[in-house]
Amino acid sequence: MRSFTYYSPTKIVFGVDAQLQVGACVSELAAKKVLIVYGSERVVKSGLLGQVTDSLERVGVQWDKLGGVVANPHLSLAREGVRKAIEMQADLILAVGGGSVIDTAKCVAVGAANPQTDVWEFWSGRQKFTKARDVASVLTLAAAGSETSDSCVITNTQTGEKRGVNNDCMRPKFAIMNPELTYSLPRKQVAAGVTDIIMHTLERYFTPIQGNHMSDAFAEGLIRVMLRFGPVGLENSHDYEAMSEIMWAGSLSHIDLTGLGCKPPNGRAGDWATHQLGHELSGMFDSTHGETLSTMWGPWARYVCDADHARFAQLGRNVFGITGMDDVKAAHAAIDAMVAFLHDRMGMPTCFSELGIGVLPEEKIDELADNCAFHKTRTIGAFKKLDHEDIRKIYSAANR
């Protein structure tokens, strides 16, 4: 193992009826005023929001709520949440939902703790922050891993930009995780969630810093569990075994364990090019995050695999059981196997037409590449650094 520093402060409460412990967890933080952030009215109609507020009231905690979070969470709603959190003097922002809800809560927490600065200044990279109000979550969708991570992604619908920030002060204080809360999810969200979990793991797996065998084994095992239980959960979202494995894997995939020893000086462990390519699709077309990842992973993998065929071959041998091939053939077989799993077993898109945006004109490809490369001011990726022209070629490979 290479040198690393590991930090994961989130308390996990996992299992049936875990949401009934919200009040106790909030009391441990000595919070007195809570702003609850959620998405659709599903959490109201299901009775979950009532269970959460009842639990808070039993321990004497005041609360207010902010609903309406959507996929690819909007900056405008986060700004509204900042205003509400400041007005009520909330000392905890509680997300009840999935990754988009948790990311909105994180953005609200940052804005409320830094009222002198508009939050987009932080997400655009023009300003830095070092503090946030406390964040916690009641998870209803296993996918993003935001319930244990230091990351947050927000979409500015006015500019069409989707930007992410990483900062330890946004890590949730606790995460309530009851797999039964995912039972009502539609198939599309289950499939997109499993894809996101796999991609969070692969982003850290494909790194130029190698030789961390425990981290590799953890990543490979996590992916194997998703290959086994992802299709089961897709077919029956009421299968507790499958949904519990998926939910726990979602947290583990984004809690940095699979990237230990892989972090370069002054950098982030992993590659993250697939996410950055996908973010521009979400920002421009409002496409579902998991679907943009499945669309871009195959074109990215085929474009970069010559940087280290052995790494892709290791994935093929240890995850898909590929044998009897040299590294080059095993590498391509591994890519084909992952794309086939996403497409055939999980029903996920693997090109622009399947994503629902059609075959794009060349000027749109140019615009995507310009946005992703920050108008030729940055490269993306670490496994193989990609400049504007590389990015454009990868988008073109997906444009069918």
Side-chain angles (χ1 to χ4, degrees), residues 110-184:
V110 172
N114 301 275
Q116 72 285 355
T117 305
D118 178 69
V119 287
W120 189 246
E121 291 295 300
F122 300 131
W123 266 257
S124 65
R126 291 187 288 267
Q127 297 284 338
K128 303 294 183 183
F129 63 92
T130 58
K131 59 183 178 179
R133 300 283 171 85
D134 284 351
V135 180
S137 71
V138 178
L139 189 64
T140 64
L141 170 62
S146 189
E147 66 276 4
T148 53
S149 79
D150 66 349
S151 63
C152 173
V153 179
I154 293 292
T155 299
N156 185 334
T157 55
Q158 291 182 321
T159 64
E161 296 173 293
K162 185 175 182 179
R163 296 289 178 260
V165 170
N166 294 82
N167 193 307
D168 274 332
C169 71
M170 296 189 297
R171 287 187 185 271
K173 298 300 182 182
F174 65 81
I176 302 292
M177 302 170 65
N178 175 2
E180 291 184 340
L181 299 181
T182 68
Y183 280 4
S184 62

Side-chain angles (χ1 to χ4, degrees), residues 134-393:
D134 284 351
V135 180
S137 71
V138 178
L139 189 64
T140 64
L141 170 62
S146 189
E147 66 276 4
T148 53
S149 79
D150 66 349
S151 63
C152 173
V153 179
I154 293 292
T155 299
N156 185 334
T157 55
Q158 291 182 321
T159 64
E161 296 173 293
K162 185 175 182 179
R163 296 289 178 260
V165 170
N166 294 82
N167 193 307
D168 274 332
C169 71
M170 296 189 297
R171 287 187 185 271
K173 298 300 182 182
F174 65 81
I176 302 292
M177 302 170 65
N178 175 2
E180 291 184 340
L181 299 181
T182 68
Y183 280 4
S184 62
L185 291 173
R187 285 172 56 91
K188 180 178 179 179
Q189 287 190 317
V190 175
V194 169
T195 300
D196 201 6
I197 292 166
I198 291 173
M199 292 302 157
H200 281 156
T201 309
L202 290 176
E203 294 281 28
R204 293 177 173 88
Y205 188 79
F206 286 101
T207 168
I209 301 175
Q210 296 174 21
N212 302 290
H213 302 290
M214 187 67 245
S215 296
D216 283 357
F218 198 171
E220 291 159 0
L222 196 155
I223 296 171
R224 287 195 300 269
V225 169
M226 288 298 92
L227 297 183
R228 176 182 175 185
F229 287 106
V232 177
L234 184 64
E235 293 304 317
N236 180 13
S237 64
H238 285 64
D239 186 307
Y240 186 87
E241 181 181 28
M243 301 308 284
S244 64
E245 296 288 346
I246 293 170
M247 177 171 272
W248 185 224
S251 292
L252 295 177
S253 72
H254 211 29
I255 205 170
D256 296 328
L257 285 172
T258 60
L260 290 184
C262 304
K263 185 177 181 179
N266 301 317
R268 186 181 184 190
D271 183 79
W272 301 102
T274 302
H275 268 70
Q276 289 158 334
L277 291 162
H279 284 338
E280 299 310 325
L281 291 173
S282 292
M284 186 177 293
F285 300 103
D286 199 29
S287 302
T288 300
H289 177 59
E291 292 185 328
T292 67
L293 298 179
S294 65
T295 297
M296 295 312 307
W297 190 81
W300 168 83
R302 293 186 175 102
Y303 191 84
V304 306
C305 71
D306 60 353
D308 189 350
H309 286 112
R311 189 62 170 170
F312 280 94
Q314 179 178 320
L315 177 74
R317 290 168 183 143
N318 293 349
V319 173
F320 292 102
I322 294 169
T323 59
M325 299 181 184
D326 62 24
D327 281 355
V328 174
K329 291 181 179 178
H332 287 284
I335 295 170
D336 291 344
M338 181 60 73
V339 172
F341 171 78
L342 295 172
H343 184 271
D344 300 342
R345 300 297 305 281
M346 300 305 296
M348 295 296 288
T350 54
C351 66
F352 287 174
S353 294
E354 293 173 355
L355 183 61
I357 62 176
V359 177
L360 301 180
E362 290 300 310
E363 55 266 27
K364 276 296 181 183
I365 299 296
D366 291 336
E367 186 178 352
L368 283 168
D370 287 344
N371 290 346
C372 190
F374 290 3
H375 305 285
K376 300 184 180 181
T377 63
R378 74 161 180 173
T379 59
I380 65 172
F383 186 75
K384 181 177 182 177
K385 289 191 179 298
L386 305 170
D387 61 19
H388 179 274
E389 184 58 25
D390 296 319
I391 292 168
R392 192 188 187 287
K393 288 178 179 176

